[in-house]
Amino acid sequence: MSTDSAAALHHADDLRWLSAAVRLAEQNVRDGGGPFGAIIVKDGQQLSTGQNRVTRDNDPTAHAEVEAIRAAGRALGTFLLAGTTLYTSCEPCPLCISAALWGRVDRIVFAANKMDAAAAGFDDHEFYELLAQPRDGWTLPVVQELRTADAAEPFELWNRNDGKVAY
C-alpha cells in the first residue's frame, strides 16, 4: 500500500471514530450529561468508550476521556495504553491530556476545538494559562509548608520494593 493510500485509510478511520465519539456526546446530552464523548481504539478495534459523567456522578474528574481511559485500562488489564488512539468529540482539557500522557496513549484525535467548548460554557483557557505560570502566581495555592523527616519514606519504600510495577 502506498503512503498516500495508507494516509487516506488512516484519515477515513479517524473520521469514522470521531463521528462515533460525537454521537456518544450527543446521546449524553440527550440523557442529561455533558456534551463530551470519547472512544479508545487499538488495532482498529474499539476498546472502550466514555461520556462526561461530571454532574451525574458529582465527580469533577469524570470527563469522557478519563472515563474511556479508565475503561480501556480495565479492558486491557494494564494501565499502559501504548498502541491506542483516543478519539474525542472535543479538544481535551489539561486533565484529559495529562491522563492520556500517564496512560501512554499514542495519539489523540479530536473533533470540536476548545473555542467551540468555550462558546458552550466549557472554557478551560484559564487552566492552560495557569499551568504556564510559575506556581507562585497561581490562584490555587500549592505549597510545601514543611518537609517532614518522613516525607520521602513512601518513595524510599517504593525504591526498595522488588515487586513494584514501574510506570
Side-chain angles (χ1 to χ4, degrees):
M1 180 180 294
S2 73
T3 303
D4 289 340
S5 297
L9 181 61
H10 196 57
H11 179 70
D13 284 344
D14 286 349
L15 293 178
R16 179 171 60 98
W17 291 114
L18 279 176
S19 181
V22 170
R23 285 193 305 275
L24 280 172
E26 291 169 348
Q27 186 60 51
N28 202 46
V29 171
R30 287 188 200 93
D31 294 341
F36 302 95
I39 299 173
I40 294 186
V41 173
K42 183 171 186 173
D43 300 326
Q45 300 297 311
Q46 177 179 305
L47 283 179
S48 64
T49 65
Q51 293 170 302
N52 183 284
R53 301 292 191 213
V54 171
T55 57
R56 186 198 77 175
D57 295 351
N58 294 317
D59 179 353
T61 69
H63 292 202
E65 298 89 340
V66 173
E67 293 292 302
I69 288 167
R70 289 172 179 160
R74 288 189 299 271
L76 290 173
T78 180
F79 54 88
L80 297 173
L81 305 180
T84 64
T85 298
L86 169 60
Y87 292 95
T88 180
S89 62
C90 187
E91 185 172 359
C93 72
L95 168 71
C96 297
I97 290 172
S98 296
L101 287 166
W102 275 109
R104 308 309 194 267
V105 168
D106 280 9
R107 247 172 114 230
I108 299 173
V109 182
F110 62 90
N113 63 35
K114 58 186 170 189
M115 283 75 72
D116 297 316
F122 298 91
D123 192 352
D124 55 12
H125 183 74
E126 68 183 80
F127 301 136
Y128 283 102
E129 286 183 344
L130 180 69
L131 292 171
Q133 295 177 30
R135 280 194 186 164
D136 61 2
W138 286 19
T139 54
L140 170 68
V142 178
V143 296
Q144 181 181 21
E145 283 295 330
L146 294 173
R147 182 176 163 89
T148 60
D150 61 349
E153 184 60 24
F155 298 105
E156 292 167 12
L157 285 170
W158 174 261
N159 285 332
R160 291 192 304 266
N161 180 358
D162 291 335
K164 69 181 173 250
V165 177
Y167 63 98

